[in-house]
Amino acid sequence: MSQFNDYIEVKGARVHNLKNIDVTIPREKLVVITGLSGSGKSSLAFDTIYAEGQRRYIETFSAYARQFLGNLERPDVDKIDGLSPVIAIEQKTTSKSPRSTVGTITEIYDFLRLLYARAADAYSYETGEQMVSYNDEQIKDLILESYKGKRINILSPVVRSRKGHYRELFEQIAKQGFVKVRTDGDIVDIEKGMKLDRYKTHDIEIVIDRLKIDNTENDEKRLMESINTAMYHGEDVLMVIDQDTNEPRFFSRNLMCPSSGISYPNPEPNNFSFNSPKGACSNCNGIGELYVVNPKKLVPDESLSIKNGALAPHGPQKKSWIFKQFETIAQRFDFSLNDAWKDIPEDAKQIILYGGKDKFTVESKLLGVARDYKIDFEGVANFIESQYNSDSTSLTRWAKEYMDKVECPVCEGSRLRKESLYFKVDGKSIANLVNMDVVELGVWLDGLMDRLTSKQQQISAEIIKEIRSRVQFLLDVGLTYLSLNRSSKSLSGGEAQRIRLATQIGSQLVGVLYILDEPSIGLHQRDNEKLINSLIALRDVGNSVIVVEHDKDMIERADHVIDIGPFAGKHGGEIISQGTPKELLNKTH
Ligand SMILES: [Zn+2]
């Protein structure tokens, strides 16, 4: 190999306190740059080598693109040879978005979504039964088998649990040549002008055919035709009624609960994404948490009167529409704005906080006249909520002062729609998996293939392998205690750094120069050991790794150590010694 390929050569580096230094760094090795804090380690690793790598990367873009990216300033260095693409893995949290989790940044969640879309079994959230979908041929066979010798009706469901009188619908059905419908469980003839109670919810099915199942060839042909017609009018769903028992059963080309008839769309990865409308809980928009008004924060001191500012968002009395409303409410409920909040009647408190409408008349004995009053008040709590939902970030921030963050009651924090949680692999929903810590998840994955059906194995073997290896990378960097649903903004800088390291190992890039700052900070020895092994693995596949580090274990395992010495600031900035850890040890003794 040529000199060029074996080394990164830095000549005349003068960034910050670096004293015009030359340094030769072996490539495809684990190199530790050590020294006192302030000695110039980071100036060399990040502000010289990484900065120059970034600058060259941006120079590869067109002039047009560069005007948006901005040209990076060339670091103060004469030249750097042998530089490969540089990736810095620093100690900072990369995402502040509540939509970013350990699962999404490691891409493990993307593979889980794929697994669930392909291999999960769906269960009914109504009855817990497994959902089924059939093709028309299977439906025909099932009907022939289940209703042998019986009289049945075949129907097309057209309305399920919806309000309306449906007069036009009945006319339309009659025009298409059908004579009977089933409304709310009763089969009736369609009559002219027929309609239902518009304020009640109804179920309506068209009666497509009535037949006896005798298993003759003629029967089969007729049944097949009826299935086709029923599927057409019922939009891929049909209903069979046993005329003896009146028991309905649903058959669908989509996933469907055979008893209740509820159906799910055939799953796709987005049905399991809380960042997609197809998967996100609509109550919390896929955040899993909500802000709700806390009445204790609206009235932090119940001994205060409204006049003296009991209602914290509004403060003490001033001339305003809202205090006029409070006056009116006080008149209606016979209290005074000078009364302590705790002494105000409960009904009045309800209206003040949660709103209400009321009209009343007050007769003034003094003047001998009656005056009409009207209360139409939205309530302080609702007012806060509307401010929270406004487009203004400052109003939202203000409103939050009176609110608490709570788990979304609809999805129980899982962020997903109800039906998405009823798709299961090996009895577990995707929400169950992201709640596990990485160790548990690894154990579950290890035996998973054996517990799947051969069809599931076939479609998911590759996906499970991808998930398992990414989980292993997290275990390898010592992040055993994390769960995939942990939000990335709650991660410490060190945790975020190790996750980035794990994803880089997973990306299997080759020929990259990785630069890390003090990754061993805060790690127990056992985890530090794992971390060092991960860096060595990164090196062994053909990458260069430079670590800015004090840690003794890391230095001992390095291929090459560069010591910038015991002095900081203007007394530092020089290379004191470099070589293998052994060579350095010999020099100091
Ligand atoms: Zn929710």
Side-chain angles (χ1 to χ4, degrees), residues 281 283-284 288 408 410-411 415:
C281 164
N283 192 49
C284 62
C408 169
V410 173
C411 63
R415 300 164 171 244

Side-chain angles (χ1 to χ4, degrees), residues 23-24 26 30-32 34 555 558-563 575-585 587:
V23 58
T24 302
L30 174 58
V31 177
V32 171
T34 189
I555 292 170
D559 300 307
H560 189 83
V561 181
I562 299 168
D563 186 357
I575 295 190
I576 303 301
S577 58
Q578 60 171 316
T580 63
K582 222 175 183 178
E583 287 166 357
L584 255 70
L585 212 64
K587 269 182 206 168

Side-chain angles (χ1 to χ4, degrees), residues 42-62:
S42 295
S43 299
L44 176 60
F46 286 97
D47 303 323
T48 305
I49 298 171
Y50 175 63
E52 177 62 7
Q54 278 296 89
R55 194 186 67 82
R56 289 187 194 175
Y57 173 64
I58 284 184
E59 283 206 329
T60 63
F61 288 96
S62 68

Side-chain angles (χ1 to χ4, degrees), residues 251-270:
F251 296 90
S252 171
R253 291 168 176 163
N254 300 319
L255 283 169
M256 165 161 285
C257 170
S259 311
S260 70
I262 58 162
S263 68
Y264 301 162
N266 283 322
E268 49 180 292
N270 272 347

